[in-house]
Amino acid sequence: GENVEQHPSTLSVQEGDSAVIKCTYSDSASNYFPWYKQELGKRPQLIIDIRSNVGEKKDQRIAVTLNKTAKHFSLHITETQPEDSAVYFCAASQNQFYFGTGTSLTVIP
Amino acid sequence: DTEVTQTPKHLVMGMTNKKSLKCEQHMGHRAMYWYKQKAKKPPELMFVYSYEKLSINESVPSRFSPECPNSSLLNLHLHALQPEDSALYLCASSQDVQGNTEAFFGQGTRLTVV
């Protein structure tokens, strides 16, 4: 099965700085890579996703890059705000979702 | 309607009780999932239903019994649980099980087994 690794497990940044979270996957058949944000006590919510036929995707302050050859993808958050503080999960999917171990992001005001 | 609704939100049950968790979606999604999530851990897949048929069972103990009565509903029947089964149980749905579309999560049922 698929194995998704995610780093770092915790990340603290000053408000306004950028945050980068990286994931690697093992199965070259995976073709869909979503990123979920989960605030404390709430459900995971999709913030951005990318499919294997695309190398980069951006939505306002959030961007995701995918390197299929190296089997890694990254989440980039620019101009971070305190409300970005949450746990972020990457996932790789072909016929089911395999989640990374999560990154707890803290944005310090 | 892009909501996945789960009931109840909280559940406390004894080890000899029988209870059920319910999940409902009206997005026309044909894939529905049960996940278990422990604190500070990623969601862990339990079951996948595709077109109302069980397609994946991730070696889940038989004290958890899923049921899909129709394309909008998914239940998880609980019996003789252990304290270590205490967790957040998340239901999710997606367009299909091809895995290349967004999964929408319910708000979860926080289960405590005493």
Side-chain angles (χ1 to χ4, degrees):
Chain A
E2 177 64 275
N3 180 42
V4 180
E5 295 190 357
Q6 183 173 345
H7 299 281
S9 57
T10 60
L11 179 60
S12 291
V13 299
Q14 291 290 330
E15 182 177 358
D17 287 351
S18 296
V20 180
I21 303 171
K22 298 183 179 183
C23 288
T24 61
Y25 62 101
S26 59
D27 192 338
S28 57
S30 291
N31 58 9
Y32 175 62
F33 306 91
W35 285 89
Y36 284 86
K37 175 184 180 182
Q38 188 174 26
E39 296 177 47
L40 191 63
K42 298 194 174 179
R43 74 186 82 190
Q45 291 200 293
L46 182 79
I47 55 170
I48 196 166
D49 56 10
I50 191 167
R51 291 181 172 77
S52 57
N53 58 347
V54 175
E56 184 173 358
K57 183 177 178 181
K58 190 172 181 181
D59 182 5
Q60 299 183 348
R61 297 187 296 110
I62 296 172
V64 58
T65 58
L66 171 65
N67 183 326
K68 281 172 49 180
T69 304
K71 297 198 191 74
H72 65 71
F73 56 113
S74 300
L75 177 71
H76 304 253
I77 306 174
T78 59
E79 300 172 27
T80 53
Q81 300 167 2
E83 51 265 38
D84 294 329
S85 297
V87 178
Y88 291 80
F89 293 103
C90 64
S93 175
Q94 39 171 314
N95 58 5
Q96 60 170 294
F97 295 89
Y98 296 88
F99 286 90
T101 48
T103 296
S104 178
L105 173 65
T106 302
V107 179
I108 304 164
Chain B
D1 182 4
T2 57
E3 284 283 318
V4 176
T5 303
Q6 288 186 244
T7 56
K9 290 185 180 176
H10 301 275
L11 178 62
V12 179
M13 61 185 290
M15 289 188 283
T16 59
N17 292 159
K18 286 184 181 181
K19 296 287 184 183
S20 296
L21 310 184
K22 297 186 182 301
C23 175
E24 190 168 1
Q25 58 88 13
H26 296 287
M27 294 178 278
H29 289 172
R30 304 319 299 261
M32 295 186 78
Y33 312 80
W34 280 115
Y35 286 88
K36 173 183 177 180
Q37 188 178 29
K38 290 278 203 179
K40 301 185 179 181
K41 297 290 186 183
E44 180 184 333
L45 184 66
M46 300 174 72
F47 303 104
V48 180
Y49 272 82
S50 175
Y51 290 84
E52 301 161 49
K53 288 186 169 28
L54 183 65
S55 63
I56 295 177
N57 175 343
E58 290 285 349
S59 303
V60 179
S62 59
R63 59 185 184 269
F64 296 92
S65 175
E67 178 196 20
C68 189
N70 60 54
S71 60
S72 299
L73 295 174
L74 186 66
N75 299 323
L76 186 63
H77 303 297
L78 314 173
H79 173 55
L81 295 194
Q82 304 296 310
E84 58 264 30
D85 296 322
S86 299
L88 181 67
Y89 287 84
L90 292 162
C91 173
S93 71
S94 64
Q95 191 68 36
D96 56 41
V97 289
Q98 294 306 310
N100 60 0
T101 58
E102 177 182 355
F104 291 82
F105 283 86
Q107 81 277 19
T109 294
R110 188 159 299 283
L111 173 68
T112 303
V113 181
V114 297

